[in-house]
Amino acid sequence: MKSWSAPQVPSLPRLAESLELFDTPHSTTLPTHSRQGAASLYVCGITPYDATHLGHANTYVQFDLLVRYWLACGVQVNYVQNVTDIDDPLLERAEATGADWRELAEEQTELFRQDMAALSVIPPNSYLGAVEMIPAIVEDVERLAELGIAYRVPAEDADGDDYYFDIAEAESRTDWRLGSVGGYDRPTMDSLFGERGGDPQRPGKRDRLDPLLWRARREGEPEWDGGALGRGRPGWHIECSVIARRHLPAPFTVQGGGSDLRFPHHEFSAAHATAADGVALAERYMHTGMVGLDGEKMSKSKGNLVLVSQLRARGEDPQAVRTLLLSHHWRTDWSYTDADLALASGRLQRWKQALQRAPEQNPGESAEEPDELQYALMSILALDLNAPAALDQLDMWAEGHLAAQTSRARVRDVVLALLGIDLADGSPSSTD
């Protein structure tokens, strides 16, 4: 599956990597290091049954900061993202609208690509749909069945049996424990499971929270060859486990996504991978805050969406949208207002005006040495990717409070490379 055009990311003088990130399982900020100059990142992608809303955009822009920080440190980044292009919500939306599910998935995935390009998000190195990974998914579920960690549940409305992941068996054979990734207690997980795609009432399951691995063929549903599993389609969590295990080292550096993915999605993706390989999936788990509208979480199911494509269509500058997103810390829940977007737009314009006042040259500036602005921004970002503080530092620069006078070109390169914000006139340039 193709991704999107890469934005321009200027090269900067390298600074030593010094990164601390808040890790969900440990509920604290921990040092996070690349291995031999290489870091790996998996961020869960969209289920393409509707357009990109600001909650999505917030997640991908915030993780874009992480990629940019690593690149500025000279770290080689292997970034993988999936598209859940087969799942119940997609099929339900296709049926409700009379659309072909494949056409709906491609249409919304293409709109997502356009939104990401407009927001200057660096694309992943590997961008993969669940459908193209089904042979590998079948392979992993068959392996879990052979290990006795997947079991059959008869389905009266299906031509065959469904397969479920056995939590108790996985806990007895691996270091993974239920709750070890999401950090929730059992009562909280019981309450969230049904709300987030689970089927706690399914007869025949050994544990209410056991997640679906393979759904047997039902009449009218898409189906694929499942080998020994029989024809059918994959469950949700297994796809990310399979994609990550085949495209990233184990354990990879950071698993990312919205906070609504802590449980069950990240919990069971990690469980599936650990059960299959005996190795932890990721070293760190980062979960972005939820974006709301009028005090409620923004979600497709509620229909209270602010769409990136609609903002672009009404003439809003994507760079102002990016500025708005970065004005909130990645772990913070917040609520959108048009007034806040207007403030972000005004802030962006002040930075652009300050850039025009910056000196064209600084005789003491070296192409090989970081300047004061780069030091300041990278030092701030190294402490849990504190984007709001980085923007405050940019305000200080615009107001003339930094001691050194960085040249216009260097300021533009530093801000574009680290924050993805282009202070030059015109639209951000990109490379195919």
Side-chain angles (χ1 to χ4, degrees):
M1 179 178 287
K2 69 174 183 177
S3 55
W4 55 90
S5 297
Q8 179 187 6
V9 183
S11 296
L12 300 179
R14 293 183 180 178
L15 282 172
E17 180 186 4
S18 177
L19 181 63
E20 296 183 1
L21 295 172
F22 186 90
D23 178 54
T24 298
H26 291 91
S27 296
T28 191
T29 302
L30 298 172
T32 303
H33 302 294
S34 60
R35 296 181 190 171
Q36 299 178 333
S40 41
L41 170 67
Y42 189 102
V43 179
C44 292
I46 60 167
T47 301
Y49 64 93
D50 207 342
T52 315
H53 60 68
L54 279 185
H56 296 134
N58 183 58
T59 291
Y60 302 113
V61 166
Q62 300 290 357
F63 283 105
D64 186 60
L65 269 190
L66 175 58
V67 173
R68 289 172 182 273
Y69 175 85
W70 274 330
L71 292 176
C73 294
V75 173
Q76 182 179 353
V77 182
N78 187 3
Y79 177 16
V80 176
Q81 189 178 132
N82 72 304
V83 179
T84 305
D85 54 356
I86 181 64
D87 199 18
D88 289 341
L90 173 63
L91 299 178
E92 291 164 3
R93 178 61 59 86
E95 182 177 2
T97 60
D100 181 280
W101 67 270
R102 290 167 289 256
E103 293 177 358
L104 177 61
E106 177 50 38
E107 172 189 280
Q108 296 304 317
T109 302
E110 176 56 28
L111 185 54
F112 175 76
R113 295 185 188 105
Q114 295 171 14
D115 289 337
M116 292 299 100
L119 291 171
S120 301
V121 173
I122 297 171
N125 303 92
S126 300
Y127 192 54
L128 300 153
V131 169
E132 64 188 294
M133 295 300 295
I134 285 178
I137 292 172
V138 170
E139 182 180 286
D140 274 25
V141 178
E142 287 179 334
R143 173 169 172 73
L144 292 172
E146 291 169 2
L147 292 171
I149 302 176
Y151 63 94
R152 297 174 181 235
V153 174
E156 295 181 358
D157 59 341
D159 184 15
D161 296 333
D162 297 329
Y163 280 78
Y164 281 82
F165 183 80
D166 192 323
I167 291 173
E169 196 65 29
E171 288 185 323
S172 71
R173 299 190 186 198
T174 72
D175 292 334
W176 172 83
R177 296 292 180 270
L178 183 65
S180 63
V181 171
Y184 292 124
D185 58 21
R186 178 69 193 226
T188 301
M189 290 187 283
D190 281 335
S191 67
L192 290 174
F193 189 61
E195 298 174 10
R196 297 179 177 176
D199 54 356
Q201 305 301 327
R202 172 67 190 273
K205 289 173 59 173
R206 297 173 182 174
D207 188 304
R208 285 168 46 86
L209 299 185
D210 284 349
L212 177 68
L213 293 168
W214 185 258
R215 177 176 168 87
R217 183 182 72 85
R218 265 79 165 173
E219 184 177 354
E221 292 188 4
E223 60 183 82
W224 289 267
D225 180 8
L229 309 174
R231 296 191 66 82
R233 59 185 175 92
W236 176 24
H237 318 300
I238 187 67
E239 71 180 89
C240 288
S241 168
V242 167
I243 293 171
R245 287 179 58 239
R246 282 159 176 78
H247 292 273
L248 294 171
F252 55 88
T253 313
V254 171
Q255 163 79 75
S259 60
D260 55 344
L261 298 184
R262 285 174 57 178
F263 181 85
H265 187 55
H266 285 172
E267 188 75 50
F268 290 131
S269 293
H272 299 340
T274 305
D277 283 347
V279 180
L281 184 65
E283 295 174 353
R284 299 282 181 266
Y285 287 83
M286 296 172 61
H287 295 103
T288 53
M290 295 289 100
V291 180
L293 179 66
D294 299 327
E296 291 191 3
K297 173 194 167 186
M298 197 177 296
S299 69
K300 294 176 180 179
S301 60
K302 293 182 178 179
N304 60 339
L305 305 178
V306 177
L307 304 180
V308 174
S309 55
Q310 290 177 346
L311 293 176
R312 293 195 291 119
R314 80 184 196 193
E316 300 291 353
D317 184 351
Q319 290 278 288
V321 176
R322 186 178 176 101
T323 300
L324 171 63
L325 297 173
L326 294 181
S327 67
H328 300 276
H329 193 280
W330 64 270
R331 289 192 279 120
T332 302
D333 295 339
W334 55 280
S335 193
Y336 170 84
T337 68
D338 283 340
D340 287 339
L341 180 56
L343 290 173
S345 181
R347 196 178 193 186
L348 177 62
Q349 291 307 312
R350 288 193 295 276
W351 296 334
K352 289 187 174 186
Q353 291 164 5
L355 183 70
Q356 296 307 308
R357 297 192 300 269
E360 291 193 15
Q361 293 183 338
N362 179 355
E365 196 169 85
S366 168
E368 306 300 324
E369 296 294 330
D371 61 88
E372 185 178 2
L373 182 60
Q374 182 182 346
Y375 270 119
L377 293 181
M378 290 190 69
S379 297
I380 291 168
L381 293 175
L383 298 176
D384 202 25
L385 297 178
N386 193 343
L391 299 193
D392 289 343
Q393 188 69 34
L394 202 52
D395 286 335
M396 292 180 63
W397 160 80
E399 294 165 3
H401 295 317
L402 294 187
Q405 285 293 308
T406 305
S407 71
R408 188 179 305 171
R410 176 62 71 84
V411 170
R412 192 251 183 180
D413 283 353
V414 167
V415 176
L416 184 57
L418 295 176
L419 301 176
I421 297 172
D422 194 347
L423 301 186
D425 290 333
S427 300
S429 58
S430 64
T431 57
D432 292 330

